[in-house]
Amino acid sequence: MMQTRTLGRTGPTVSALGLGAMGMSGAYGEADRDESIATVHAALDAGVTLIDTGDFYGMGHNELLLAEALRGRDRDGYQLSVKFGQMRGPGPVFGPQDNRPEAVKNFLAYSLTRLGVDHIDVYRPARLDPAVPVEETVGAIKEMIDAGYVRHVGLSEVDAATIRRAHAVHPIADLQIEYSLLSRAVEAEVLPTLRELGIGLTAYGVLGRGLLSGRWKAGQTAGPGDFRAFSPRFASGNVEHNLALVEALRRIAEAKGCTVAQLAIAWVAAQGADAGDIVPLVGARTRARLAEALPAAQLDLTADDLAEIEEAVPAGAARGDRYPSALMSALGVGN
């Protein structure tokens, strides 16, 4: 039985693990369409209700894929989290963020059509637009809530000050941000702010984009279209150091009777165990990877386990930024 969490004081009740769909649309190389759809079906059948996407994932491909996968399913049986605003060009070209109020409504109209639904459960700008006050962006989403097209406001990759400003306009359900054993900058100011304001956290990158899967090996190269080909943490000199951290985790996982991936996911979930405010997003794009991830929701980590994990991979232990330098400036917090 899949456990549930409520995103913040005002957000929806969702499964304790969410499904991140980005990898199904080419972010980590070519994905199999039929297998992707089967993975969504398997997730829903296992009790996973939170599905995260972005209108720029594959330039709309991901939303169309999810529309096919969700066709015929009870709309009240799942929650869609959608990011918007990241401009794209043909090919692997990323442009600026566009969070203007008129753009918010335009992006929403296209997402509703591609997804084939009448509302989005959590709608969020993918990044902060430095040219547009966050109050204006949240105000536009609030208008769409009042009109019935959106249920809740979310944020993504912003700092504590921005969270406060946004929350003053309309209650924020959750912040989506990278959080894993390798990416812990959120712990300093952002997570305490979320808890003060009663805002949930949906954590992506819980497996460090595959580094914490236990399957990436030194000398392995990313395929065509794979984001990791440009990731500093996978660069020569950095990846060997980071994989040594994974081997330390592997010894703990083996003693615990689980995989490295399950241990890494359970660690993220455990950071919100007392408050019930953190939901890890699992970026599985095959049924096999999903099946491996699901038991992490029931994996109980004791205080001794957590201390051993902390000793193996202390905060700041990873080498290399989590994004290429050109993209780091768009993040509200660092590594």
Side-chain angles (χ1 to χ4, degrees), residues 187-244:
E187 294 174 344
E189 295 184 3
V190 169
L191 190 51
T193 300
L194 296 178
R195 287 178 171 156
E196 175 194 337
L197 299 176
I199 299 171
L201 187 152
T202 46
Y204 75 90
V206 293
L207 293 181
R209 304 187 184 277
L211 267 176
L212 294 170
S213 68
R215 290 180 295 276
W216 195 272
K217 294 178 172 51
Q220 184 174 341
T221 57
D226 192 326
F227 165 86
R228 291 169 291 195
F230 309 99
S231 172
R233 288 188 177 164
F234 288 83
S236 178
N238 291 342
V239 70
E240 293 82 4
H241 168 86
N242 295 330
L243 288 175

Side-chain angles (χ1 to χ4, degrees), residues 57-99:
Y57 290 172
M59 285 69 75
H61 173 275
N62 203 242
E63 291 180 323
L64 292 169
L65 179 75
L66 288 177
E68 185 175 348
L70 296 170
R71 190 170 297 128
R73 296 279 179 162
D74 179 6
R75 181 63 185 89
D76 293 330
Y78 61 87
Q79 301 87 33
L80 287 170
S81 163
V82 180
K83 292 182 291 297
F84 69 86
Q86 176 62 65
M87 306 296 285
R88 296 289 302 265
V93 178
F94 282 82
Q97 182 78 15
D98 187 355
N99 291 353

